[in-house]
Amino acid sequence: MNLNKYLDVKPEVAEAIAAGKPVVALESTIISHGMPYPQNVQTALEVERIIRENGAVPATIAIIGGRLKAGLTAEEIEYFGKKGTAIAKASRRDLAVLCARGEDGATTVTTTMIIAHMAGIKVFATGGIGGVHRGAETTMDISADLEELASTPVMVVCAGAKSILDLGLTLEYLETHGVPVIGYGTKELPAFYTRHSGFSVDYEIDTPEELAKAFKTQHELGLRGGMLVTNPIPEEYSMDAAVINGAIDEAIREAKEQGIHGKETTPFLLAKVKDLTGGNSLDANIQLVYNNARLAARTAKAYCEN
Ligand code: PSU
Ligand code: MN
């Protein structure tokens, strides 16, 4: 644990970490920017319940009044969900100024990894990660999430990446930076709403115990950085590839037309895809997060047990 004067670890989380019990970190951008109110709050609370049911302690991570929070109360989750996109999306470059000014921030994969690591949490569950955007060869829009995976030792369990990104270039970037990309029960990188992308992962691993062992071995070898576990959406909730890809293409077209750039790009594309596909994509999104929470809790438990 690397405590600093800006970090507040919720007592239940601190006790679990001190006792060597499993904890799973969760991000807050998915609450404030990823889903509409009140489904965002309901989902965040249900994810915490699922993590408990599977033997781990949940720690939803956020920045509140300049404090780095590892573990939120139900009231704080409600506050984040209600304020929604009025809360600043906080990546690595935002942390210092937000803390210095005593402001709120919704943590992305990047900042959730940073704060989880400060608190001593090793496993983190989310929906999708940021990556190399389509057209990045001219825009240079590459998510800070990839750099963080390269340097911070936290396992990120996600459902792959949405094809708002260039999935091939995202995998190339992760390879260059030495981040293992694992498929849970699959050799193919899942594409968030669908189980298939046409791209291969580095390794297929089929049990939480083996995931935990691989990650522990990475630490014991002294290799820096995280591990990306991609867990396909359950078949019954997966979406029609043509429908979702059509919506993504349309969203990218509108973003270009409107000159959307910088930190607005990802939230803009996600919101557009959601509008274009209606409630179906929201349902799929919620279910894949539940699925990732289950796997992350079981993996955190296995990590602590051996
Ligand atoms: N991709 C998704 N859902 C999300 C995000 C990305 O499918 O909610 C959020 C995550 O918080 C992720 C962030 O860390 O967007 C990446 O933003 P950017 O591309 O600006 O780095
Ligand atoms: Mn970006």
Side-chain angles (χ1 to χ4, degrees), residues 71-283:
L72 298 188
T73 63
E75 292 69 34
E76 288 167 332
I77 289 175
E78 172 73 22
Y79 166 78
F80 254 73
K82 231 178 195 160
K83 254 189 120 181
T85 53
I87 295 182
K89 176 183 157 200
S91 191
R92 178 177 267 273
R93 57 106 185 255
D94 303 293
L95 272 191
V97 174
L98 289 176
C99 285
R101 289 181 170 169
E103 289 179 11
D104 295 340
T107 54
T108 62
V109 168
T110 296
T111 38
T112 303
M113 288 179 77
I114 294 171
I115 297 168
H117 180 52
M118 285 176 183
I121 303 169
K122 299 191 173 63
V123 180
F124 161 23
T126 188
I129 59 156
V132 180
H133 278 265
R134 296 201 209 164
E137 57 276 24
T138 51
T139 63
M140 292 185 69
D141 190 350
I142 299 173
S143 176
D145 292 353
L146 301 184
E147 280 295 315
E148 211 56 53
L149 279 161
S151 59
T152 300
V154 172
M155 174 189 280
V156 178
V157 179
C158 69
K162 294 196 179 93
S163 44
I164 60 170
L165 303 174
D166 187 317
L167 300 182
L169 292 187
T170 300
L171 289 173
E172 292 292 350
Y173 196 100
L174 289 167
E175 179 187 359
T176 299
H177 291 270
V179 179
V181 179
I182 310 296
Y184 186 67
T186 180
K187 290 183 169 48
E188 189 180 354
L189 178 75
F192 197 90
Y193 293 119
T194 63
R195 296 171 62 87
H196 305 288
S197 67
F199 292 96
S200 297
V201 294
D202 302 329
Y203 296 96
E204 174 180 344
I205 292 184
D206 299 330
T207 65
E209 290 70 27
E210 285 174 89
L211 284 177
K213 189 172 181 196
F215 194 45
K216 187 164 269 182
T217 302
Q218 182 168 314
H219 294 151
E220 287 169 349
L221 285 167
L223 296 170
R224 71 192 180 105
M227 181 173 275
L228 186 65
V229 176
T230 64
N231 185 27
I233 184 171
E235 190 83 61
E236 62 267 41
Y237 302 111
S238 73
M239 293 183 67
D240 185 273
V243 170
I244 198 70
N245 290 330
I248 287 171
D249 289 343
E250 171 63 21
I252 290 175
R253 199 156 41 237
E254 288 186 36
K256 224 179 243 167
E257 256 169 41
Q258 297 182 35
I260 306 291
H261 60 92
K263 70 193 288 188
E264 306 309 329
T265 302
T266 296
F268 178 92
L269 293 174
L270 297 181
K272 268 283 169 255
V273 169
K274 217 173 324 163
D275 290 349
L276 292 166
T277 52
N280 287 348
S281 67
L282 181 59
D283 275 354

